[in-house]
Amino acid sequence: HSTAHVMAQAVTQLWPGARYAIGPPIEDGFYYDFDLPGGAHFSDGDLGRIEERMRAIVAEGQPFVREEHSVAEGLELFADQPYKTEIISGVDASEGAAEGVVSAYRNSPEFVDLCRGPHVPTTARLGHFKLLKVAAAYWRGDEHRPQLQRIYGTAWESAAALKDHLHRLEEAEKRDHRRLGAELDLFHFPPEIGGGLPVFHPKGGLVRKLMEDYSRAEHEAAGYEFVYTPHLAKSTLFEISGHLGWYAEGMYPPMELEGATYYPKPMNCPMHILVYKSRQRSYRELPLRLFEFGTVYRFERSGVLNGLLRARGFTQDDSHIFCARDQLADELASLLGFVLRLLRTFGLTEFEAELATRPEKYVGRPEEWDEATAALRSALEAAEVPYVVAEGEGAFYAPKIDVHVRDAIGRRWQVSTLQVDFQLPQRFEMEYVGADNERHRPFMIHRALFGSIERFFGILIEHYAGAFPTWLAPEQVRVLPVSDAHQAYADRVADRLRGDGLRVGVTSAEETLGARVRRGKLEKIPYVLVVGDE
């Protein structure tokens, strides 16, 4: 964060009159948003100039000095910085203004920045940094507000740590699932279909089928029941569920048909509730575990789309479990164990979790929240998964567990979610008849294991750098005859392997053996068998 201040200071020196907006630390780095005078734009070549000026500021050992001002003084201090004055006018505590006091940090006579701090003592403590790229960003993330220029950078405590991080970035670039998806002929995003809507090619479709087949078999063995639901529904369903009240901006626009309004579904849960409500339920049927590979549609802004990792149409391996109050703790513990076991099968073995608790604005009774949170915590402790508590970060209707995994180069991905919900059962007036012959309201657990098939597919591509484990590889074995004379033998070998259930290809001797071996490596075939006289 201190390095971000130094970057803003360098930019204002190199571009007098530049306006600076916000510059927070983010995971593994920082960014700062700027509005340059005269409509000027940064180029990638400017990053070297900015870095050079930053190093001069670091070498001066300028102290970071905290100042506190009244709101009126703050507005005067930043009178030529409209983005800062907007923050101050809003008395935004997260940006340094609280209880009528505006805090700022000055590290030279000419540069001061609105900030709640803290900072390193002097700029001399800095220096192991690298500016990475320039991007566009709207002020406050609002596309109707001014478009700013964002510079991303990273800063570390030592030269070795910086070098390691830059190496990880190089590895991440090599592993980018969008590039590998094209190179390995797995999927693409046709412009004729629209942004964020992928199509899977035969090889990618086969990997996806293998993922889904394994998941289906495991769910069937674990007592789940399969359901299928439509891709769209009348608006009344989403009015009852609350999606139109809470989530309308993330939904695709409606369609008017035969006097009714229809929406593509953003989530599967309301339809699974309708399956539950199709008839009266008894306590003897609980827990009822419904499972579906359900495709949903969410209108993400163009600027946040990111290949398979952030798409507009995707398929969730979605499960909803309906249980009685006394079944909740055991069901959550079993669910979490099931989730971790399946993730390990895909080669993801380093887990962390977040327990998101009741936010300031919530529905339901506090005692229900406490009970559900305690059950989630118990499940985490039983599974011996390290976790942190994300205070106040639960959804408005329920606490949840988010499971994160680390990939082969140490990046953290949020994948599975377990969420206890007592709002939707209430909104849909769900009931079951208990052993006492009275009507009771079930608890509902939302559970997505992969999160979405597409996103998990993208994570696996990057984790394995496209070289899937043999059980997931679209082509497991490729047989290469040394010459045409060995073609018949190569075909017999391939037939025998296919008879054992393997996925096999044969490449004839039209090219040199070396070229065919190299292509097998580039296509990341797990086993290449060369057959000839010997």
Side-chain angles (χ1 to χ4, degrees), residues 60-73:
E60 292 174 8
Q62 300 174 2
F64 283 93
V65 179
R66 181 180 173 88
E67 302 175 351
E68 292 189 349
H69 304 276
S70 67
V71 170
E73 291 169 344

Side-chain angles (χ1 to χ4, degrees), residues 57 73 86 88 120 122 132 138 175 182 192 225 234 236 241 255 263 269 280 292 322 388 397 409 429 434 498 534:
I57 294 169
E73 291 169 344
E86 181 179 324
I88 295 169
V120 296
T122 77
L132 301 173
Y138 290 107
R175 293 165 180 262
E192 296 87 349
E225 299 184 62
K234 290 182 179 179
T236 48
S241 70
M255 298 170 277
Y263 284 89
C269 34
Q280 182 174 286
E292 175 182 19
F322 306 97
V388 296
Y397 55 86
I409 57 173
E429 299 180 341
R498 291 190 190 103
E534 300 178 11

Side-chain angles (χ1 to χ4, degrees), residues 182-231:
E183 290 178 2
L184 300 176
D185 194 23
L186 301 173
F187 63 88
H188 82 296
F189 290 82
E192 296 87 349
I193 293 179
L197 299 168
V199 296
F200 282 76
H201 302 185
K203 289 182 181 178
L206 178 54
V207 176
R208 177 170 173 157
K209 177 183 181 297
L210 293 165
M211 294 167 61
E212 292 181 359
D213 286 351
Y214 170 72
S215 180
R216 281 193 184 93
E218 291 298 314
H219 279 86
E220 187 172 8
Y224 287 77
E225 299 184 62
F226 296 93
V227 297
Y228 297 88
T229 60
H231 290 239

Side-chain angles (χ1 to χ4, degrees), residues 424-467:
L424 284 181
Q426 182 175 323
R427 294 182 77 105
F428 282 90
E429 299 180 341
M430 300 177 70
E431 294 178 337
Y432 67 91
V433 177
D436 57 2
N437 220 28
E438 297 292 329
R439 296 185 180 275
H440 301 270
R441 184 144 290 153
F443 277 79
M444 178 178 181
I445 303 170
H446 301 254
R447 194 238 63 195
L449 196 159
F450 295 144
S452 85
I453 297 290
E454 289 80 359
R455 185 171 179 275
F456 195 73
F457 190 103
I459 291 170
L460 288 179
I461 291 173
E462 300 204 359
H463 177 60
Y464 288 113

Side-chain angles (χ1 to χ4, degrees), residues 125-141:
R125 291 285 295 274
L126 310 174
H128 306 296
F129 64 85
K130 177 72 176 173
L131 301 188
L132 301 173
K133 64 178 180 178
V134 179
Y138 290 107
W139 171 233
R140 297 294 202 189

Side-chain angles (χ1 to χ4, degrees), residues 68-81 84-85 88-89 100-104 114:
E68 292 189 349
H69 304 276
S70 67
V71 170
E73 291 169 344
L75 291 171
E76 182 178 352
L77 178 64
F78 291 99
D80 60 345
Q81 293 292 334
K84 300 297 183 184
T85 56
I88 295 169
S89 297
V101 175
V102 176
S103 62
L114 179 70

Side-chain angles (χ1 to χ4, degrees), residues 131-306:
L131 301 188
L132 301 173
K133 64 178 180 178
V134 179
Y138 290 107
W139 171 233
R140 297 294 202 189
D142 184 344
E143 61 189 41
H144 303 295
R145 306 294 301 276
Q147 189 177 67
L148 308 176
Q149 295 180 77
R150 176 172 295 178
I151 297 179
Y152 284 95
T154 188
W156 296 82
E157 76 280 6
S158 67
L162 174 62
K163 182 179 178 182
D164 287 345
H165 178 67
L166 295 177
H167 175 70
R168 286 195 298 273
L169 291 181
E170 289 176 12
E171 277 295 308
E173 180 66 25
K174 294 176 188 174
R175 293 165 180 262
D176 189 308
H177 75 283
R178 293 164 296 185
R179 180 174 64 80
L180 289 170
E183 290 178 2
L184 300 176
D185 194 23
L186 301 173
F187 63 88
H188 82 296
F189 290 82
E192 296 87 349
I193 293 179
L197 299 168
V199 296
F200 282 76
H201 302 185
K203 289 182 181 178
L206 178 54
V207 176
R208 177 170 173 157
K209 177 183 181 297
L210 293 165
M211 294 167 61
E212 292 181 359
D213 286 351
Y214 170 72
S215 180
R216 281 193 184 93
E218 291 298 314
H219 279 86
E220 187 172 8
Y224 287 77
E225 299 184 62
F226 296 93
V227 297
Y228 297 88
T229 60
H231 290 239
L232 72 166
K234 290 182 179 179
S235 59
T236 48
L237 179 65
F238 301 120
E239 287 165 3
I240 297 170
S241 70
H243 285 104
L244 279 175
W246 293 88
Y247 196 69
E249 289 186 2
M251 295 171 66
Y252 267 85
M255 298 170 277
E256 302 293 333
L257 296 166
E258 297 181 339
T261 302
Y262 289 80
Y263 284 89
K265 63 178 177 181
M267 296 179 186
N268 299 300
C269 34
M271 295 186 181
H272 289 191
I273 290 172
L274 296 182
V275 173
Y276 179 96
K277 282 177 59 70
S278 62
R279 60 177 174 80
Q280 182 174 286
R281 299 288 176 176
S282 161
Y283 74 97
R284 298 180 187 277
E285 298 178 73
L286 304 183
L288 177 63
R289 307 180 184 103
L290 302 182
F291 175 76
E292 175 182 19
F293 283 114
T295 301
V296 298
Y297 302 90
R298 300 179 188 174
F299 191 77
E300 302 282 3
R301 299 295 178 187
S302 299
V304 302
L305 295 177
N306 180 14

